[in-house]
Structures are given as C-alpha cells and as structure tokens.
Amino acid sequence: MRHTEFWARMDHALGASYSRSWASSFVMQELGGRTAQEAIDAGEPPKHVWAVVWRTLELPATQK
C-alpha cells in the first residue's frame, strides 16, 4: 500500500476534513503508543498502520 492509498482510505473512513487531525492526535497502543501519523513518519509500512486503524475504528470488512 502506498501512502496515497493510506490517506485516501483515511479520508473515506473519517472524512477529508477530520482524517489528518485524527491521525495526528489519536494514540494507539498497537502502534507502540504512537499516532498513525507518528508511525507513518517513523517508517512503519502504511499497510500495517492501516490495519491497526481499521481495527481501532472497527470498520467494516469492506474497508479492510
């Protein structure tokens, strides 16, 4: 998964106006106590970060 696809999925799940804010403020233990943005910036693969976001938000399987 490319970064652009990750952000497109975030926008779809949370809305374009809220996704970046959420990604920068919501800390997830599954990402080592980091936000999605921090994990991406630290080099975590976007596919892994998306999987954690997907589980955290309890999104439907169609968005996996």
Side-chain angles (χ1 to χ4, degrees), residues 7-41:
W7 289 112
R9 288 182 183 206
M10 290 290 291
D11 290 349
H12 179 74
L14 296 169
S17 62
Y18 183 58
S19 63
R20 299 275 176 161
S21 175
W22 188 90
S24 296
S25 61
F26 192 86
V27 175
M28 292 170 275
Q29 290 307 311
E30 207 174 336
L31 292 175
R34 297 179 292 185
T35 66
Q37 184 67 63
E38 289 170 333
I40 291 286
D41 291 347

